[in-house]
Amino acid sequence: MPERTAAMIADIQHLVRCESPSDDLVAVSRSADAVAALGARLLGADPERIVLDGCTHLRWRFGGGAKVLLLGHHDTVWPLSTIVTHPADVEDGVLRGPGSFDMKAGLVIAFHALAALDDLDGVTLLITGDEEPGSHTSRSLIEEEAARCAAALVLEAAGPGGALKTERKGVSRYEVHVTGRAAHAGLEPEQGVNATIELSHQIQAVADLAAPDLGTTVTPTRMRGGTTSNTVPAHASFMVDVRARSAREQQRTHEAMLALAPRIHGAVITVEGGINRPPLQADASAALFDRARGIAERLGIRPLESIAVGGASDGNFTAGVGTPTLDGLGAVGGGAHADDEHVIVAELPDRTRLLTALVADLLQDEHAVRAAETARR
C-alpha cells in the first residue's frame, strides 16, 4: 500500500508541524483547526468543535446510535519551536518529530482506518486537547461519550513491538503543605517550628505507603521550603505521584494521604489533590483484546501481544465508567516525551488495517451492543 503509506506520512508530518503544547491554548486551537480539516477531508464530515475553559476538543458522531468510541488527543508536551530542532523528517523508514508517536500518528491511523469503511453509523470519534496535563476539561466529555458506547478504542501509541495496552495503573496526585513557625536560626531557633524537618517526616511516611508486591508506587517528587539560610522555615511542601493497579489500592492510599498527621508539636499538615484517573484493569480489555488478536490472525498481521503499563491515558476514564476498553492501538515506535520520539513507517498500514477491521467487527456485533446497553441500564 505505498500510496496509502505516503499519504499517511504526509498527514502525520502536517499535524506534527502544527505544534500544540497543552498549556498554549492558542496553539491548541490552531492544531484543532488542522486536525478538523484533515478529518473532514478523509471522513467527509466536519466535526463538532467543543471549547471548554478555552481548550478545544473535536467530536465526530456518525449516525443516530452509539456503538464504538475512538479516542485520541492532539495536544503534546513539547513547547513551541521544538519543530526547529526536531523536524518531522523521515529517514531509514523512521518518522520523527515532537508529538509524532504520542500521538499524532494515532490520529492519522484513526482517520485513514475509518475512511476505509463504507458505513460509519454508530461510530464516535473524540479528539481532545488537554490529555497530557490530566484531561481536566475533557474528562466529563470522555466519560459521557464512553457511557453511550459498547466499546472504546484508544489510539495512544503501542507498547514495544506493537503490543496493545490492556492494563494501565490508576493515577492519584497530591501536594502536601506543612506550616510551621518562623524564627531566627541563630538567636532563638527553639522559638520556631521547623517546617522542613516536619516535611522530612512526612516524606518518609508517604513513601512507606507503597506496596511493591501489589504494584502500588507512591513517589514524593517536587519539594519546596524555607526562605533564607538563617530563618527557621515556616512553610514547606512536596508533591506526590501515586500509581495503583486496583481501585482498592488507589482508595487505600488516598485515605492514608488524607490522614497524614504532624509529628512535631505546632506543625500543621494540609493535603491537596486526590484520585485523577481510575485504573484500566485487565477485565475491562480482555474480550476486546481477544477479538483484536483473532482479527490480526485472519488478516495475516503478526501475532498481537498485550502489555500492562504504569502510565495512564484517557482509556482509564472510559474503563472507569464500565465501557470495555482497548488501548495502544496507535503507532508503533518509541521515545514518547523524549528527544528520540519516532514512528516506524512500515507499521502504519497494518495498524490501520487492524483498526478498520476491528471497528467493522464491533459495528456488526449487535449482541455486544445490546449487552452493553443492558449493563448501563
Side-chain angles (χ1 to χ4, degrees):
M1 303 166 64
E3 297 85 1
R4 168 69 66 82
T5 302
M8 294 183 72
I9 291 171
D11 291 339
I12 296 168
Q13 289 175 315
H14 176 62
L15 294 187
V16 170
R17 288 165 181 160
C18 186
E19 297 176 288
S20 51
S22 306
D23 58 357
D24 188 328
L25 296 181
V26 174
V28 170
S29 179
R30 285 196 302 267
S31 171
D33 291 340
V35 174
L38 177 59
R41 173 170 62 82
L42 290 171
L43 304 179
D46 291 320
E48 180 183 0
R49 193 181 183 97
I50 304 168
V51 181
L52 301 172
D53 293 339
C55 186
T56 307
H57 317 293
L58 302 171
R59 179 173 64 194
W60 282 263
R61 282 180 176 171
F62 297 96
K67 299 178 181 178
V68 182
L69 171 65
L70 276 69
L71 184 60
H73 66 89
H74 67 101
D75 62 312
T76 77
V77 300
W78 297 96
L80 289 179
S81 299
T82 302
I83 195 68
V84 176
T85 56
H86 298 65
D89 293 338
V90 179
E91 184 176 353
D92 296 328
V94 176
L95 189 158
R96 302 185 184 276
S100 56
F101 183 60
D102 185 16
M103 59 163 289
K104 293 187 176 180
L107 303 183
V108 172
I109 289 172
F111 285 138
H112 281 262
L114 294 180
L117 292 171
D118 294 328
D119 187 0
L120 294 177
D121 187 13
V123 171
T124 297
L125 172 60
L126 178 62
I127 299 175
T128 64
D130 66 349
E131 190 273 345
E132 294 294 359
S135 306
H136 301 296
T137 72
S138 61
R139 175 175 182 171
S140 60
L141 184 63
I142 294 164
E143 292 175 335
E144 173 191 332
E145 293 300 327
R148 299 172 65 246
C149 293
L153 307 177
V154 185
L155 273 298
E156 289 282 0
L164 301 187
K165 296 174 180 177
T166 53
E167 291 183 73
R168 285 185 181 271
K169 290 184 180 181
V171 179
S172 305
R173 294 188 175 122
Y174 303 90
E175 185 161 10
V176 180
H177 298 270
V178 179
T179 302
R181 184 171 59 248
H184 194 289
L187 295 177
E188 45 184 10
E190 69 281 356
Q191 297 300 313
V193 176
N194 196 313
T196 300
I197 295 177
E198 178 62 50
L199 189 79
S200 68
H201 291 304
Q202 297 303 322
I203 287 176
Q204 187 58 59
V206 165
D208 288 343
L209 296 176
D213 55 325
L214 299 176
T216 304
T217 60
V218 183
T219 309
T221 56
R222 188 178 67 182
M223 179 176 61
R224 294 176 293 184
T227 52
T228 68
S229 62
N230 60 349
T231 302
V232 173
H235 300 282
S237 66
F238 68 103
M239 304 186 80
V240 183
D241 179 286
V242 179
R243 309 276 168 147
R245 287 178 181 159
S246 69
R248 176 178 294 182
E249 270 296 282
Q250 192 171 45
Q251 186 61 31
R252 176 190 69 81
T253 54
H254 177 66
E255 292 173 0
M257 287 295 303
L258 297 184
L260 291 175
R263 307 290 180 87
I264 298 175
H265 179 71
V268 176
I269 306 296
T270 305
V271 180
E272 297 177 349
I275 295 172
N276 174 258
R277 297 175 193 260
L280 166 56
Q281 297 180 210
D283 58 357
S285 58
L288 283 174
F289 177 73
D290 286 344
R291 186 185 294 252
R293 184 166 52 186
I295 289 171
E297 183 177 352
R298 292 198 299 272
L299 292 176
I301 296 173
R302 70 177 177 190
L304 290 177
E305 301 291 338
S306 65
I307 188 172
V309 296
S313 81
D314 287 336
N316 292 65
F317 294 138
T318 61
V321 298
T323 301
T325 298
L326 187 59
D327 204 336
L329 285 158
V332 179
H337 299 196
D339 287 337
D340 67 337
E341 183 168 3
H342 65 279
V343 172
I344 299 173
V345 169
E347 298 282 357
L348 291 172
D350 279 352
R351 300 301 280 192
T352 306
R353 292 171 59 218
L354 174 65
L355 184 62
T356 297
L358 181 57
V359 173
D361 193 55
L362 289 166
L363 290 177
Q364 294 169 3
D365 191 346
E366 294 297 333
H367 175 73
V369 174
R370 288 196 297 271
E373 290 172 349
T374 300
R376 284 196 294 273
R377 288 196 296 270

